[in-house]
């Protein structure tokens, strides 16, 4: 039996490999220009390679694109739709893990956890000092969420346990979420000016690219902490570097950067008021297993011409 050819952004997670074994033939990403390209039926995106018109033009037999993750800013969904190619993703099942990571970053930045960890391991730590590494209070402080969707709601829910008033800003008010979570809708500028923590949980789109730039950072409190668990380009990295260096905001915590990874000599990496993680939002055994199952199911359904479990609609 000939297996359908699927080009994948490798290396694949072992759970994905196991689920695909014997069902498709995996080709590496550079097979896009290889001898089998006209027979490629599926595209499996794992990291964030750009899937645009020029790529789609090279794969005339493509029947489905499956993304291991919810964010599809790297896939030109409209161009795929114009060719009748469905795009699948994995929404809903990673919200809890990603919100947990958002809170881990928030707490780490506020309470000097990373600097403290380094110090506690170093020879410099010879004696407790009540004056060192004083951080910022978390409980009772105001959290502003930009993008109160699936993940943002989970963040808001966690904030309630910390007695934090929650503000949010979306393009549209969500009164059901307000009632369920006790969150208050405010304009973008007001959220920036009044929040002690600003958490980004919106998708990367033309409208959100660079929304946290010089002006937005200047509106934030000098004691505020920015947490980004959405996508790197939502934040202007040069503006953030300036704000953290000049300490016009207190700290930032980033799960995602632009580019990702940052160049090893990027000035942000030298700052002690930055906490940074290598895109770990959904990285738990349980969540990654579910992402593997859903993304593989999307792929196999698309190859079979069936509706996907989760299809991203253009727009
Ligand atoms: P949802 O679509 O459920 O929520 C996104 C929210 O953002 C919506 O409430 C939407 O509301 C709001 N939004 C969209 N555009 C804007 C805008 N211009 N200004 C303000 N708010 C806006 O998405 P998810 O919660 O499932 O995921 C969000 C993003 O998180 C993903 O796209 C992905 O990039 C990122 N992510 C990161 C992970 C990580 O590992 N760090 C893990 C998983 C996801 P409205 O439409 O009313 O504007
Ligand atoms: C997502 O699901 O969008 C994560 O960022 C993994 O790419």
């Amino acid at each position: 039996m000939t297996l359908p050819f699927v080009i994948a952004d490798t290396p694949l997670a072992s759970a994905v490999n196991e689920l695909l074994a014997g069902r498709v033939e995996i080709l590496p990403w550079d097979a896009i220009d290889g001898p089998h390209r006209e027979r490629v039926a599926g595209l499996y995106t794992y990291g964030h390679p750009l899937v645009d018109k020029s790529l789609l033009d090279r794969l005339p037999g493509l029947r489905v694109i499956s993304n291991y993750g919810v964010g599809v800013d790297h896939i030109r969904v409209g161009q795929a739709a114009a060719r009748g190619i469905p795009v699948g993703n994995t929404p809903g099942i990673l919200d809890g893990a990603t919100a947990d990571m958002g809170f881990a970053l928030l707490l780490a930045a506020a309470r000097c956890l990373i600097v403290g960890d380094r110090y506690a391991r170093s020879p410099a730590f010879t004696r407790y000092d009540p004056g060192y590494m004083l951080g910022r209070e978390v409980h009772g402080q105001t959290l502003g969420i930009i993008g109160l969707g699936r993940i943002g709601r989970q963040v808001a829910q966690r904030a309630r346990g910390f007695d934090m008033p929650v503000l949010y800003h979306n393009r549209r008010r969500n009164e059901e979420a307000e009632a369920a979570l006790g969150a208050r809708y405010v304009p973008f500028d007001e959220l920036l000016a009044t929040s002690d923590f600003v958490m980004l949980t919106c998708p990367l789109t033309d409208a959100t690219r660079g929304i946290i730039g010089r002006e937005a950072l200047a509106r934030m409190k000098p004691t505020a902490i920015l947490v980004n668990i959405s996508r790197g380009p939502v934040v202007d990295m040069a503006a953030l570097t300036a704000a953290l260096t000049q300490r016009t905001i207190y700290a930032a915590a980033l799960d995602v950067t632009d580019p990702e990874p940052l160049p090893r000599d990027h000035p942000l990496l030298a700052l002690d008021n930055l906490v940074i993680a290598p895109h770990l939002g959904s990285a738990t055994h349980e969540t990654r297993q579910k992402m593997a199952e859903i993304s593989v199911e999307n792929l196999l359904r698309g190859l079979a011409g069936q509706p996907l479990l989760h299809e991203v609609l253009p727009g």
Side-chain angles (χ1 to χ4, degrees), residues 46 91 104-105 118 124 138 143 216 227 259 299 302 314:
Y46 182 91
L105 288 168
R118 280 194 211 114
V138 173
L143 172 65
V227 183
L299 179 75

Side-chain angles (χ1 to χ4, degrees), residues 157-177:
Q157 207 164 305
R158 280 148 185 72
R160 297 182 78 171
F162 283 81
D163 300 323
M164 300 172 87
V166 175
L167 307 177
Y168 80 100
H169 182 76
N170 283 3
R171 287 168 303 177
R172 289 171 291 266
R173 266 187 79 169
N174 182 339
E175 289 177 20
E176 179 276 318

Side-chain angles (χ1 to χ4, degrees), residues 188 192 200 202-217 228 230-237 239 258:
F188 183 66
L192 294 172
L200 306 175
C202 55
L204 173 62
T205 63
D206 290 345
T208 61
R209 185 176 295 276
I211 48 169
I212 304 297
R214 203 159 49 89
E215 270 183 34
L217 288 160
N228 188 6
S230 63
R231 283 290 183 265
V234 173
V235 178
D236 176 334
M237 289 289 135
D258 178 28

